[in-house]
Amino acid sequence: MMQAINAWLLAAVSGGWGLWSLFLAAFLDALIIPIPTELVVLATATAFRAGGSPLPIWVILVCVLAFTLGDVCTYWLGRLVPLRQIVFFRGAAGKAVISWAHRAFERGGGFFTVASRFVPAGRTIINLTAGAAHYPLSRYIPLSALAGGLWGIYMWTLGYLASAWLANNPLTVMALGFLVGMVVGFLCDILMKTVSRHR
């Protein structure tokens, strides 16, 4: 059963729909819709090691384009809609997060835009706050593209290395990579808060 699922998954992500699925997942992930795009990228890396496609350059470019488009949409949402009207930010904890993000952008928006890509919830908060703070779009878009590219390279490399150890087993690679990604995201979150306190 597991072998059949793994074979189907490898065929799915290496086929024509693999990159389209990645684009849709990354775009929605950049919005307020939590989708584990990590799993799709990890699967593409495993498929590349097993069969030579899709090429990593296309995976990374799709990440850059989809994340940037999604980030810009979230940016404009934060710019047009007061954050405290969004259900996630109405409570005391939400207001505290908004205040922290505003201070972070006042002290160094570039670093936080890039680093937040590695923090599952942090990227949405930072994108919304960038719009609310009227952070210059001419600076925001290149930073968002850079963040998407770095994240794509990191996650694809993680999947490729893991697949060397767990050959033709994308489900296990995805599970392992997702756990490692969560740890890295947690560490990036700590780093962002530490930098914010010392600026």
Side-chain angles (χ1 to χ4, degrees):
M1 180 65 177
M2 290 297 294
Q3 288 182 342
I5 295 174
N6 282 320
W8 174 84
L9 188 56
L10 287 173
V13 297
S14 60
W17 289 103
L19 292 176
W20 286 107
S21 300
L22 173 60
F23 180 89
L24 181 62
F27 175 76
L28 294 176
D29 191 16
L31 298 175
I32 308 180
I33 304 172
I35 293 179
T37 311
E38 297 90 342
L39 302 182
V40 185
V41 177
L42 291 166
T44 63
T46 306
F48 176 77
R49 180 176 282 278
S53 66
L55 294 175
I57 185 63
W58 291 116
V59 173
I60 293 164
L61 287 176
V62 167
C63 286
V64 170
L65 180 60
F67 277 134
T68 303
L69 288 175
D71 286 349
V72 169
C73 289
T74 308
Y75 172 97
W76 279 106
L77 178 64
R79 191 159 180 168
L80 297 174
V81 179
L83 295 186
R84 287 175 175 80
Q85 291 185 10
I86 299 175
V87 64
F88 304 110
F89 302 116
R90 289 178 183 170
K95 292 176 182 177
V97 168
I98 293 172
S99 298
W100 170 82
H102 269 288
R103 291 194 303 272
F105 261 95
E106 290 173 357
R107 297 168 182 171
F111 168 78
F112 292 99
T113 301
V114 174
S116 67
R117 171 56 54 199
F118 296 82
V119 182
R123 53 191 174 229
T124 300
I125 295 168
I126 289 294
N127 292 337
L128 288 168
T129 307
H134 288 238
Y135 190 73
L137 201 56
S138 59
R139 293 177 60 189
Y140 175 80
I141 291 177
L143 288 169
S144 173
L146 173 64
L150 291 175
W151 182 92
I153 293 170
Y154 149 72
M155 192 56 66
W156 189 91
T157 302
L158 178 62
Y160 186 78
L161 294 175
S163 64
W165 177 39
L166 302 164
N168 298 326
N169 194 344
L171 286 177
T172 307
V173 171
M174 289 161 65
L176 177 62
F178 188 74
L179 289 174
V180 173
M182 291 297 291
V183 172
V184 171
F186 176 73
L187 294 175
C188 285
D189 186 38
I190 293 175
L191 177 62
M192 288 168 61
K193 291 176 180 177
T194 302
V195 171
S196 178
R197 284 197 297 267
H198 286 85
R199 287 194 175 188

